[in-house]
Amino acid sequence: MEEGISAVCSCWMEDPTAAPEHWKALFDQFDPDNTGYISTEKFRSLLQRHGSELDPHKLEVLLALADSNSEGRICYQDFVNLMSNKRSNSFRQAILQGNRRLCSKALLEETGLSLSQRLIRHVAYETLPREIDRKWYYDSYTCCPPPWFMITITIVEVAFFLYNGVVLDRFVLQVTHPLYLKNALLYHPQLRAQAWRYLTYIFMHAGIEHLGLNVVLQLLVGVPLEMVHGAARISFVYVAGVVAGSLAVSVADMTAPVVGSSGGVYALVSAHLANIVMNWSGMKCQFKLLRMAVALICMSFEFGRAVWLRFHPSAYPPCPHPSFMAHLGGVMVGITLGVIILRNYEQRLQDQTLWWIFLSIYLIFVLFAIFWNIFAYSLLDLKLPPPP
């Protein structure tokens, strides 16, 4: 049996992606009845004898799993998932529900790390509230793929802004230029049938002051979140915030256009801030109170600027300046769908009841807004600004 676990460890050290069938064959040596389980006592003893062949953080997680298991046995699949850098929901629950204390020193206390390792550790402490999750992320992160989504979307937004700045010969308050609204990307109430505008408006910004704050927030917050939670989840929150923002404008501020990526940015930032507040004692990022205050001040400043601009006399009446409702739409996505995603690091969202509740609410809102755009404008007999 001892040779079996040693062979499993050696196999994993040589090839972390080795087929689970090979591990199963080795596991059968100390699971002769083929039950898929090993006794906790035997499992812990074997880990202590052969733990030097494992990564220390993975060994610590396995020992915590053994300590927290109340049934006296360890599931083979949990061991395979750990070695494959995957975690099942049952594995997460076994760790979190057990009254265990991690015996080794905290990740923050480790010394002799390279610059890249310190960066990964910093990101872990910025975004994850549990030490066991931080160690897991630190061990498994490979920067492949890199946080491409937030970087790409930022580059494209800046490129469009610079292009518009050259064409309009204006970089501050571009929105006041008479040709600004003729762009095919921004959302305009008279052109709401052109569905792409509900998404592409993020590539248009009111001015460099608008773009600058959005870019800073989405890079400082969005890139670390994408490094931890992956491009798929973070892009979903971002795009959901963008779509909710334009739809919120079409429902609540029906005569106004909308520009800027604030819907997506506010979805990410509000989800991150809410996650910090909900896990205040577990979050170990430095100066978290001060940094939260700075983030809220920046968001309030940007929102205040948008409100002021919306009610400022338009440079080209009767069309008003862009709406600020997209900010609020993004916040609502962030504190619902966004929080659920950030609170369930590497877990299956489909196993979370709240995920389905908030996703259903979001989809109902989208359907409501679609029908609203089809019927309400004609029924209310609104006087819309002329098409650009």
Side-chain angles (χ1 to χ4, degrees):
M1 290 185 185
E2 295 180 10
E3 289 76 8
I5 189 69
S6 179
V8 172
C9 296
S10 299
C11 175
W12 173 75
M13 291 292 287
E14 294 173 2
D15 183 9
T17 61
E21 291 78 7
H22 182 62
W23 287 336
K24 182 61 177 174
L26 295 172
F27 239 71
D28 286 342
Q29 297 181 33
F30 45 91
D31 181 22
D33 297 329
N34 201 28
T35 63
Y37 291 90
I38 309 167
S39 70
T40 302
E41 182 180 351
K42 184 182 298 182
F43 183 68
R44 185 176 181 84
S45 175
L46 293 172
L47 283 178
Q48 290 174 340
R49 294 186 183 184
H50 300 281
S52 60
E53 302 172 42
L54 291 171
D55 181 278
H57 293 158
K58 284 190 170 61
L59 174 62
E60 181 178 356
V61 174
L62 284 171
L63 290 173
L65 178 63
D67 290 340
S68 64
N69 193 282
S70 59
E71 299 179 355
R73 59 182 186 172
I74 299 298
C75 178
Y76 154 76
Q77 189 59 47
D78 285 339
F79 180 78
V80 172
N81 287 340
L82 183 73
M83 293 307 171
S84 305
N85 285 331
K86 300 176 182 177
R87 293 193 297 182
S88 64
N89 193 53
S90 60
F91 174 78
R92 171 69 172 271
Q93 293 301 318
I95 292 294
L96 296 184
Q97 292 175 2
N99 295 321
R100 85 286 182 273
R101 295 185 61 184
L102 299 179
C103 54
S104 67
K105 62 183 179 180
L107 183 61
L108 195 60
E109 299 173 359
E110 295 193 4
T111 58
L113 303 181
S114 65
L115 180 61
S116 61
Q117 289 175 320
R118 290 199 298 270
L119 175 61
I120 296 171
R121 182 179 65 179
H122 174 75
V123 170
Y125 276 93
E126 287 290 306
T127 55
L128 295 171
R130 301 180 182 90
E131 183 68 16
I132 200 167
D133 284 341
R134 290 190 284 260
K135 290 186 174 182
W136 180 277
Y137 167 74
Y138 177 81
D139 284 332
S140 59
Y141 183 72
T142 61
C143 198
C144 185
W148 61 269
F149 175 76
M150 294 310 307
I151 295 175
T152 301
I153 205 76
T154 300
I155 292 174
V156 174
E157 289 171 2
V158 172
F160 271 104
F161 175 79
L162 294 176
Y163 172 78
N164 288 325
V166 172
V167 170
L168 302 176
D169 193 25
R170 183 175 298 180
F171 291 91
V172 177
L173 286 178
Q174 287 183 356
V175 71
T176 60
H177 195 284
L179 298 179
Y180 183 82
L181 288 181
K182 294 185 180 296
N183 195 286
L185 298 179
L186 60 78
Y187 169 84
H188 190 283
Q190 283 281 19
L191 303 173
R192 63 188 184 279
Q194 299 176 356
W196 70 83
R197 293 177 179 264
Y198 291 89
L199 184 61
T200 58
Y201 75 92
I202 67 172
F203 300 119
M204 300 291 293
H205 284 80
I208 194 169
E209 68 290 344
H210 185 198
L211 173 74
L213 193 54
N214 279 347
V215 164
V216 168
L217 286 175
Q218 71 186 25
L219 288 179
L220 291 181
V221 176
V223 169
L225 289 179
E226 186 177 348
M227 289 175 65
V228 173
H229 297 280
R233 292 190 174 190
I234 297 306
S235 62
F236 175 82
V237 176
Y238 188 87
V239 173
V242 168
V243 174
S246 55
L247 291 177
V249 172
S250 70
V251 171
D253 197 0
M254 300 169 66
T255 62
V258 62
V259 296
S261 58
S262 297
V265 172
Y266 274 55
L268 290 178
V269 176
S270 59
H272 181 52
L273 295 181
N275 190 43
I276 291 176
V277 172
M278 296 170 68
N279 299 279
W280 187 261
S281 61
M283 297 299 292
K284 301 300 182 183
C285 49
Q286 293 182 327
F287 311 112
K288 56 185 175 182
L289 183 59
L290 175 63
R291 294 164 63 180
M292 277 196 64
V294 171
L296 289 173
I297 291 172
C298 291
M299 293 174 68
S300 300
F301 172 80
E302 160 58 17
F303 182 71
R305 181 210 58 81
V307 172
W308 169 82
L309 184 62
R310 170 65 179 87
F311 294 107
H312 190 268
S314 176
Y316 35 85
C319 187
H321 284 310
S323 175
F324 57 86
M325 290 302 299
H327 298 70
L328 302 181
V331 169
M332 293 306 299
V333 169
I335 63 177
T336 53
L337 291 172
V339 168
I340 296 300
I341 287 177
L342 298 192
R343 281 174 59 85
N344 289 278
Y345 166 63
E346 282 202 350
Q347 304 308 308
R348 291 163 53 90
L349 293 175
Q350 53 265 44
D351 294 338
Q352 312 297 323
T353 303
L354 279 178
W355 164 255
W356 292 110
I357 293 175
F358 288 140
L359 183 61
S360 299
I361 293 174
Y362 179 78
L363 294 177
I364 290 172
F365 167 72
V366 171
L367 290 175
F368 166 78
I370 291 174
F371 283 103
W372 181 273
N373 277 269
I374 294 173
F375 300 108
Y377 279 75
S378 57
L379 293 176
L380 295 176
D381 194 26
L382 285 176
K383 185 178 181 180
L384 296 177

